[in-house]
Amino acid sequence: MTQNVPDFSALLRGARRTAVHLEMRDVYGVADEAAAFEEFRRSGAVDLDPDSAFWAGWLPLVRETVARGVVLRRARIVSEPVTDYIRWEHALTTANIAAGEQVRWLPRRLASDLALPGNDLWLIDDRLVLFHWFTGDGAWAGHEFTEDHAVVRAVSTAFEAVWERGTPHDRYSV
């Protein structure tokens, strides 16, 4: 594994067939989401406007990626009952899906027998893995990039097992 991490937008723009994202935390504390999350906690409001500043960096990239024929899937493993953060993510996911992502949710209790990686990740074209590290409070702590075939194979197997068991977003309630 190497610490030489490519720019994420370039990585996703380089995807030719697939891009999958595995999320396994119940709370993230990423600074650029803090205000929107706090607004949700206060009022229950979510920003679903695809042209808003909140989505500016993500939804155009998703639309561009999907328009090239790349299948973009996201699987989230969550504890139940869900945290406020997961409730917020669930409410926001409508925008992800409208942009072309496919999203499934897997209750953590249904993942006990799965061999899972230790960190959230992106897998691009079954050949590149970008691991995300977070602090205990959910803040960004770093990234790790690898093309190691054994790691790619293990990550791909784990993601597909989660995807197969996961519930499509439109059928998962929080």
Side-chain angles (χ1 to χ4, degrees), residues 11-154:
L11 192 64
L12 201 53
R13 284 186 173 108
R16 301 208 189 314
R17 296 177 292 103
T18 61
V20 303
H21 188 35
L22 181 59
E23 298 177 0
M24 299 180 287
R25 294 184 57 93
D26 289 318
V27 176
Y28 293 86
V30 180
D32 61 349
E33 297 177 344
F37 177 53
E38 283 309 310
E39 176 61 26
F40 172 76
R41 290 181 77 190
R42 273 192 308 278
S43 69
V46 293
D47 182 353
L48 296 176
D49 177 1
D51 298 320
S52 72
F54 178 78
W55 291 107
W58 182 244
L59 294 183
L61 182 58
V62 170
R63 287 190 295 266
E64 170 191 319
T65 302
V66 172
R68 288 194 329 271
V70 175
V71 176
L72 203 152
R73 297 181 293 160
R74 180 187 304 255
R76 292 176 170 141
I77 300 174
V78 297
S79 299
E80 293 179 320
V82 300
T83 62
D84 286 344
Y85 186 91
I86 295 301
R87 195 175 328 286
W88 177 63
E89 274 193 331
H90 189 270
L92 288 172
T93 299
T94 303
N96 297 78
I97 290 171
E101 283 189 62
Q102 299 172 37
V103 180
R104 291 190 181 180
W105 302 82
L106 181 63
R108 193 170 310 282
R109 66 184 163 71
L110 300 178
S112 296
D113 62 336
L114 299 179
L116 298 170
N119 295 291
D120 287 10
L121 60 93
W122 278 91
L123 172 62
I124 308 294
D125 290 332
D126 286 320
R127 64 183 182 89
L128 312 167
V129 178
L130 178 63
F131 288 106
H132 295 302
W133 301 329
F134 296 91
T135 66
D137 293 333
W140 289 110
H143 305 278
E144 187 173 39
F145 175 76
T146 185
E147 294 179 87
D148 179 276
H149 297 296
V151 174
V152 167
R153 189 170 41 255

